[in-house]
């Protein structure tokens, strides 16, 4: 099940943004436990996501991808974005370790930031922070 609210329309490279969404949905499905459920929503940036995530001179829109999968320890929240880094053994979960590294590059290419929050057994939430100046139509 993919639940989503109205999302903003933004300036960007369509192929890259499609790849970004595809990678995040694919990861959510890959690491699901039981019937997959993904929630996609957006809101103005909230400082409780991470105090150092937004520059003072820029306001952000937060597009959130939340799943209810296996999750991981927050100690690895930066490691998941490193090229070819995997938190799980390849015999348990397919993949190359490229997907989330590519997501980070795409978000940064659109002047944004990506932050992940997770807890083992409770899923993961990927916060995509895009500058308001990139938003054409807000949800």
């Amino acid at each position: 099940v993919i639940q989503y609210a109205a999302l903003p329309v933004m300036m960007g490279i369509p192929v890259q943004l499609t790849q970004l969404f595809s990678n995040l949905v694919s990861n959510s499905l890959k690491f699901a436990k039981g019937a997959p459920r993904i929630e996609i929503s957006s809101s103005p940036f909230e400082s409780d996501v991470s105090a150092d995530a937004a520059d003072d001179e820029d306001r952000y829109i937060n597009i959130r991808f939340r799943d209810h999968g296996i999750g991981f320890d927050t100690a690895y929240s930066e490691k998941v974005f490193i090229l070819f880094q995997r938190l799980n053994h390849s015999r348990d979960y397919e993949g190359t370790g490229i997907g989330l590294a590519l997501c980070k590059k795409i978000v940064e290419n659109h002047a944004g930031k990506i932050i992940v929050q997770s807890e083992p057994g409770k899923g993961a939430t990927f916060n995509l922070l895009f500058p308001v100046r990139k938003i054409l139509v807000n949800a």
Side-chain angles (χ1 to χ4, degrees), residues 86-106:
R86 298 173 49 93
L87 298 184
N88 305 79
H89 198 282
S90 60
R91 71 173 167 248
D92 298 325
Y93 297 96
E94 289 183 26
T96 59
I98 294 175
L100 290 177
L102 183 58
C103 287
K104 182 175 182 179
K105 288 304 247 183
I106 291 170

Side-chain angles (χ1 to χ4, degrees), residues 2-14:
I2 298 178
Q3 296 175 314
Y4 63 93
L7 297 173
V9 176
M10 63 181 280
M11 292 184 297
I13 302 167

Side-chain angles (χ1 to χ4, degrees), residues 61-137:
I61 294 293
N62 183 9
I63 300 177
R64 271 179 308 285
F65 280 75
R66 183 173 194 275
D67 67 44
H68 301 273
I70 64 171
F72 57 88
D73 190 307
T74 55
Y76 301 108
S77 61
E78 290 300 317
K79 185 177 180 179
V80 298
F81 298 113
I82 298 172
L83 192 61
F84 303 122
Q85 288 293 307
R86 298 173 49 93
L87 298 184
N88 305 79
H89 198 282
S90 60
R91 71 173 167 248
D92 298 325
Y93 297 96
E94 289 183 26
T96 59
I98 294 175
L100 290 177
L102 183 58
C103 287
K104 182 175 182 179
K105 288 304 247 183
I106 291 170
V107 170
E108 289 173 349
N109 193 42
H110 288 81
K113 301 171 194 262
I114 186 169
I115 302 166
V116 63
Q117 298 166 308
S118 187
E119 194 174 328
K122 296 191 176 179
T125 300
F126 288 86
N127 296 284
L128 312 177
L129 305 179
F130 291 106
V132 170
R133 63 185 154 77
K134 292 276 193 183
I135 304 303
L136 298 175
V137 178

